[in-house]
Amino acid sequence: MAIIELKNIYKKYGDQSDVIEDFNLSIEQGEFVVFLGPSGCGKSTILRMIMGLESITSGELKIKGKLQNNIPAKHRNIAMVFQNYALYPHMSVFNNIAFGLKVRKTPRKEIKEKVTKVADLLNLTPYLKRKPKNLSGGQMQRVALGRAMVRDTDIFLMDEPLSNLDAKLRTTMREELVQLHRNLSATTIFVTHDQMEAMTMGDKIVILDAGKIQQVGSPDEIYHQPENLFVAEFIGAKKMNLLELTKDERGVTYSNQVIKLPVFEADKEADILGVRAEDCRLSLTEGYPFEITFIEKLGSDQYIHGISDGEKVIVREKPEKTFEVGQQIYFTINEEKIHWFNRETGEKVRPKNG
Amino acid sequence: MEKATRSERIILFLILAFIGVFMVFPMIWMFLSSLKTTEEVLGSTMTFLPSDPQWSNFSGALELAPFLRYIWNSFSTATVIVLAQLFLSSLLAYALTQMEFRGRNVLFMIILATYMLPAATTYVPSYIIISRMGLMDSLAGVVVSNIVDVFSLFLLRQGFLKVPGELIEAARADGASEWRILWRIVVPTSKNTLINAALISFIGHFNNYLWPSLITNSEENFLISVGLNRFFNSQGAFGQTFPLIMAATVISILPLIIVYFLLQKYFIGAISSSEGIKG
Ligand SMILES: Nc1ncnc2c1ncn2[C@@H]1O[C@H](COP(=O)(O)OP(=O)(O)OP(=O)(O)O)[C@@H](O)[C@H]1O
Ligand SMILES: [Mg+2]
């Protein structure tokens, strides 16, 4: 059974237009779900509605089968890590972590035991007596996590908890969080606008744009089977190459060469060909014309940027090959790795049986 | 601001020093006079320092009227009033800043509007209410008629507005009730605002004169301001007891001076917030 269910959720602030539109999602016990989307797409809003900090304009939110719409935050028993830590400035680290337990009238001895254990796990033991203002960003981060972890709950909501950390700390915290999730096996919703974070951490990624779900899937599915143009461009170290197709008497063409289209599902039409940089090759003799504009060497790989028939195209190549900016060559496409889209709807167009 | 040159700073310093001396001079004069003899005060040659400090003036003043009793009355009523005001204002300020309900802003505007009423217009109705409550001529009457204060509410509301919303949300997520959030999160993080409000209110009520003089009659219930005034008036030959009156006045402001030294660092905040400047 799903532990969190969102059905036809809408959210409006005042009389503005909808910030969240027809949001449907169900989350299973123990899942690590990542909400990924550009700034302002409504990630925090959804999280805050689940927590009970924001009213739900319409739709149903169920947790463990029970309708939550009108249940105040304090009775939902969910732990949340806030975007800016929100540590209580006048309390020591110990008391920050202990607050949620004190509120629930936990016996003093038990509080001590639990806080000590969590502090130990997060390497916070030396700082228990300090006030938040005397901690580094990473330490504050861990206190915010500790405050959530110490609670006796099986649902965690985390709103960009790693966004204020430097790159190195972020990577280690990422690993620690995944490890932690394995140990606690609690259901976690993790919000981020960093796709690396989403891809490395999530069991399930929910991609949002402008208050709407664009796609829900595993990191592999999201990367290899994008459902629409937004996801295709948003996910990946390099955005997917999108080639605009034209129609003439010979059929569908790109750069004056006929493209063989598969048979699509019921009367759908594809006019955009999508292909990732790693599914293209450069060639001196055959393919579509390609003029190199920029070479990006990454050690293990190199990305060759170029212009083909007026469109920007990126091709990944082995590092040994040498190219030069300005060179006029060709690129080829691995036909098995093509994604077809319809410009008008922005949706993927599926070939029949496959 | 541009940096002042050295000579500009010296001039500025001299001006400020002059104003400073000018302002504290009456206090110093009061203190020195309290140590003089009547002849010295009234004599035709004015002396600055008392030739032979009359410390006995203090014990003399204390014998003429129960000043310690008055001070205690002022101190205790001001303390109870401040505590009650802060308690009630905190509750209301919390509701006005952290809870969402219809008419919230209208309510605040109405409350603020009552602040515009001149205090004198409230005296008659308040007098009637206090007397109906059977609290005339009692310290309880002084306290009860002052426990609600729009100004402290206003200050606390400003302070509470500055508490980051995420803190309150975090406490709600932690499972805390609104009551607990108010006392455990909002009040401690607004500590300075509360101390400022408390100081302003304490000084005001310690020195309060007109209203307490209207509702208290018996000597045992006089506040220091009222008692001091009766003392002036009862000493018919004013000149004769001038040093004693000065001694009594020194005694009466002593508690405020002690409070000032203990809480010095909060005073600037209190003064600037009482003048409506960002505190
Ligand atoms: N209290 C509010 N009143 C009015 N509009 C709001 C309010 N809170 C958020 N919004 C609007 O709702 C939309 C979604 O905001 P939200 O905070 O959920 O975005 P987000 O995806 O979390 O962005 P970020 O990555 O920057 O944190 C934004 O357009 C924002 O301006
Ligand atoms: Mg956000």
Side-chain angles (χ1 to χ4, degrees):
Chain A
M1 191 186 73
I3 183 163
I4 302 175
E5 270 176 287
L6 297 124
K7 271 195 211 143
N8 311 106
I9 300 271
Y10 282 79
K11 174 70 189 178
K12 220 193 243 287
Y13 287 105
D15 35 277
Q16 287 171 281
S17 55
D18 292 324
V19 169
I20 302 294
E21 268 176 68
D22 199 19
F23 192 94
N24 289 284
L25 184 68
S26 85
I27 295 169
E28 304 295 320
Q29 162 68 43
E31 258 183 321
F32 195 107
V33 179
V34 176
F35 286 1
L36 176 63
S39 187
C41 69
K43 306 179 296 287
S44 298
T45 304
I46 296 168
L47 217 59
R48 293 160 51 79
M49 286 193 285
I50 298 174
M51 182 69 245
L53 300 171
E54 206 72 75
S55 64
I56 296 170
T57 307
S58 72
E60 284 187 354
L61 166 68
K62 286 186 180 170
I63 295 177
K64 298 179 187 161
K66 288 200 198 97
L67 192 66
Q68 302 288 310
N69 293 40
N70 295 318
I71 297 191
K74 67 173 166 167
H75 294 313
R76 291 196 190 181
N77 198 21
I78 301 173
M80 179 154 173
V81 180
F82 286 79
Q83 199 160 354
N84 299 311
Y85 317 140
L87 301 183
Y88 310 126
H90 57 291
M91 294 185 195
S92 65
V93 169
F94 183 95
N95 285 328
N96 260 282
I97 299 177
F99 186 75
L101 297 174
K102 285 187 186 161
V103 163
R104 295 193 156 70
K105 307 220 162 31
T106 315
R108 187 168 294 216
K109 198 165 142 251
E110 199 181 322
I111 293 182
K112 183 123 205 275
E113 275 167 20
K114 285 190 168 169
V115 175
T116 313
K117 203 170 129 213
V118 167
D120 195 42
L121 200 66
L122 293 170
N123 290 325
L124 284 171
T125 313
Y127 313 111
L128 281 175
K129 290 209 175 89
R130 284 205 203 166
K131 292 272 171 69
K133 67 166 187 281
N134 300 325
L135 298 176
S136 72
Q139 291 161 348
M140 288 200 253
Q141 187 70 70
R142 298 205 295 267
V143 178
L145 282 171
R147 203 164 64 176
M149 279 164 50
V150 81
R151 294 263 310 277
D152 190 17
T153 175
D154 47 9
I155 301 176
F156 288 102
L157 307 180
M158 304 187 180
D159 195 350
E160 308 203 28
L162 308 183
S163 59
N164 295 338
L165 305 183
D166 64 49
K168 186 158 168 260
L169 197 54
R170 198 183 305 182
T171 326
T172 40
M173 287 300 294
R174 225 186 260 167
E175 285 161 15
E176 282 179 30
L177 273 182
V178 170
Q179 197 60 47
L180 205 74
H181 175 252
R182 284 206 194 105
N183 296 344
L184 300 174
S185 70
T187 311
T188 305
I189 304 182
F190 184 100
V191 167
T192 179
H193 57 238
D194 177 339
Q195 53 160 310
M196 274 302 285
E197 215 161 89
M199 299 299 256
T200 50
M201 295 176 82
D203 296 329
K204 178 149 119 188
I205 298 179
V206 177
I207 299 198
L208 289 162
D209 184 41
K212 286 195 211 119
I213 294 188
Q214 302 296 321
Q215 186 167 354
V216 179
S218 68
D220 271 353
E221 283 166 352
I222 299 271
Y223 187 80
H224 294 293
Q225 296 153 37
E227 288 292 325
N228 56 38
L229 286 172
F230 177 82
V231 178
E233 292 196 90
F234 191 67
I235 297 296
K238 293 282 172 276
K239 72 189 205 64
M240 186 181 278
N241 297 314
L242 298 172
L243 309 179
E244 201 141 335
L245 306 178
T246 36
K247 240 183 186 171
D248 63 14
E249 65 286 350
R250 291 173 292 163
V252 169
T253 62
Y254 173 71
S255 184
N256 228 1
Q257 301 182 38
V258 178
I259 305 268
K260 209 176 122 248
L261 291 186
V263 183
F264 292 115
E265 279 179 346
D267 64 292
K268 294 268 172 60
E269 235 178 276
D271 48 13
I272 290 187
L273 181 161
V275 64
R276 293 218 176 263
E278 63 266 32
D279 299 322
C280 299
R281 281 285 162 280
L282 291 178
S283 158
L284 298 175
T285 52
E286 50 157 6
Y288 309 103
F290 185 88
E291 179 183 347
I292 300 176
T293 55
F294 174 59
I295 299 172
E296 195 182 349
K297 290 190 189 284
L298 294 177
S300 59
D301 289 305
Q302 55 180 338
Y303 285 100
I304 318 293
H305 299 241
I307 302 259
S308 165
D309 202 19
E311 313 228 22
K312 283 189 183 167
V313 171
I314 305 172
V315 177
R316 190 174 81 183
E317 273 293 352
K318 301 218 171 58
E320 313 76 71
K321 297 200 180 173
T322 51
F323 298 96
E324 269 170 42
V325 172
Q327 219 177 342
Q328 307 251 6
I329 48 172
Y330 302 93
F331 79 100
T332 59
I333 293 170
N334 177 349
E335 285 177 11
E336 279 164 22
K337 298 291 177 80
I338 293 178
H339 307 264
W340 305 99
F341 298 98
N342 181 290
R343 161 163 302 282
E344 195 125 311
T345 60
E347 297 294 315
K348 171 181 192 139
V349 184
R350 257 173 262 271
K352 240 179 195 160
N353 336 311
Chain B
M1 203 166 68
E2 276 173 49
K3 252 193 163 169
T5 64
R6 194 180 157 80
S7 56
E8 274 172 349
R9 284 177 33 198
I10 292 174
I11 293 173
L12 200 63
F13 174 80
L14 288 177
I15 294 174
L16 289 177
F18 175 75
I19 296 175
V21 170
F22 196 77
M23 306 249 282
V24 294
F25 188 76
M27 295 259 283
I28 295 170
W29 192 249
M30 170 181 78
F31 179 67
L32 293 173
S33 301
S34 71
L35 294 173
K36 291 177 183 171
T37 62
T38 308
E39 290 69 38
E40 260 178 306
V41 172
L42 296 180
S44 50
T45 52
M46 198 157 94
T47 55
F48 185 65
L49 291 175
S51 51
D52 175 23
Q54 305 288 308
W55 294 104
S56 61
N57 284 347
F58 287 90
S59 51
L62 290 178
E63 271 163 30
L64 284 177
F67 284 112
L68 291 180
R69 167 92 203 194
Y70 300 159
I71 289 177
W72 169 247
N73 285 348
S74 281
F75 185 84
S76 57
T77 52
T79 305
V80 176
I81 287 169
V82 165
L83 292 178
Q85 276 182 357
L86 290 187
F87 177 75
L88 295 174
S89 297
S90 294
L91 292 179
L92 194 46
Y94 184 80
L96 286 174
T97 55
Q98 309 301 344
M99 292 176 156
E100 286 188 12
F101 55 91
R102 212 175 275 267
R104 183 169 88 165
N105 291 328
V106 175
L107 178 64
F108 180 60
M109 293 323 274
I110 293 173
I111 293 171
L112 265 198
T114 67
Y115 189 57
M116 313 294 167
L117 281 180
T121 61
T122 65
Y123 286 167
V124 172
S126 300
Y127 191 91
I128 295 171
I129 293 169
I130 293 294
S131 95
R132 293 248 170 96
M133 289 172 82
L135 295 175
M136 284 310 288
D137 193 21
S138 71
L139 293 178
V142 176
V143 169
V144 168
S145 53
N146 280 306
I147 53 175
V148 176
D149 180 55
V150 177
F151 187 66
S152 70
L153 170 70
F154 176 76
L155 279 187
L156 292 198
R157 178 178 174 274
Q158 297 305 100
F160 288 6
L161 282 177
K162 283 188 223 137
V163 178
E166 272 203 342
L167 279 189
I168 288 152
E169 293 181 339
R172 286 190 183 138
D174 263 343
S177 61
E178 302 298 314
W179 179 258
R180 194 170 191 118
I181 295 173
L182 168 59
W183 301 114
R184 289 292 149 82
I185 308 291
V186 175
V187 163
T189 39
S190 312
K191 191 182 90 193
N192 284 354
T193 307
L194 269 108
I195 294 177
N196 289 348
L199 277 178
I200 293 168
S201 175
F202 184 85
I203 294 168
H205 288 289
F206 192 87
N207 290 331
N208 199 2
Y209 171 69
L210 192 55
W211 174 247
S213 77
L214 292 177
I215 64 170
T216 51
N217 279 322
S218 40
E219 191 170 73
E220 62 182 39
N221 290 330
F222 282 168
L223 301 191
I224 182 66
S225 50
V226 181
L228 208 53
N229 191 274
R230 299 288 158 105
F231 180 64
F232 287 159
N233 299 339
S234 64
Q235 302 298 309
F238 183 74
Q240 297 303 313
T241 51
F242 190 78
L244 292 188
I245 291 176
M246 286 299 109
T249 314
V250 171
I251 295 171
S252 77
I253 64 166
L254 219 50
L256 288 186
I257 292 182
I258 293 171
V259 169
Y260 176 78
F261 278 108
L262 289 180
L263 298 173
Q264 212 172 5
K265 69 171 176 171
Y266 295 104
F267 260 81
I268 294 174
I271 288 166
S272 52
S273 54
S274 73
E275 285 172 356
I277 304 166
K278 178 181 170 287

